[in-house]
Amino acid sequence: MESADATVQIDDARVRVTEWAFEPNTETGFHTHGMDYVVVPMTSGTLTIADADGVETDNALIAGQSYARETGVAHNVINRTNEKIVFVEVELKA
């Protein structure tokens, strides 16, 4: 599977802001978040989240409806839909 497109918009002493664009059948690859973060969906859609044990769950995104997660989240984010899905991730630096 190909990688989703990550475009860093801001990376300063306080935050890193990255736009993630998931074409159909793309993924982030398995990773562990080293910072608390906020996700701001730019489009609505459903992404599949695979955890360290390979357990998959669907995560429905609604454009403009943000959510936050804490440091240590480990997963792969996958777009198994036929639609492009975009969100902005804001990582909070200590």
Side-chain angles (χ1 to χ4, degrees):
M1 189 171 289
E2 294 195 28
S3 294
D5 292 325
T7 303
V8 176
Q9 298 177 345
I10 300 170
D11 192 357
D12 62 23
R14 297 181 308 148
V15 298
R16 180 184 304 132
V17 179
T18 306
E19 179 187 78
W20 285 92
F22 292 79
E23 294 291 343
N25 300 307
T26 60
E27 64 184 354
T28 58
F30 189 82
H31 61 283
T32 302
H33 286 268
M35 295 177 258
D36 292 349
Y37 65 100
V38 176
V39 171
V40 183
M42 306 306 291
T43 60
S44 296
T46 300
L47 293 171
T48 300
I49 308 300
D51 69 14
D53 296 323
V55 175
E56 296 186 355
T57 56
D58 287 338
N59 185 29
L61 302 178
I62 300 171
Q65 189 171 16
S66 303
Y67 62 90
R69 299 286 184 264
E70 294 183 357
T71 300
V73 171
H75 57 205
N76 182 18
V77 181
I78 308 160
N79 182 4
R80 290 207 171 105
T81 74
N82 294 321
E83 304 295 326
K84 181 177 181 179
I85 300 173
V86 178
F87 64 77
V88 172
E89 176 185 73
V90 180
E91 296 173 285
L92 307 172
K93 295 181 179 181

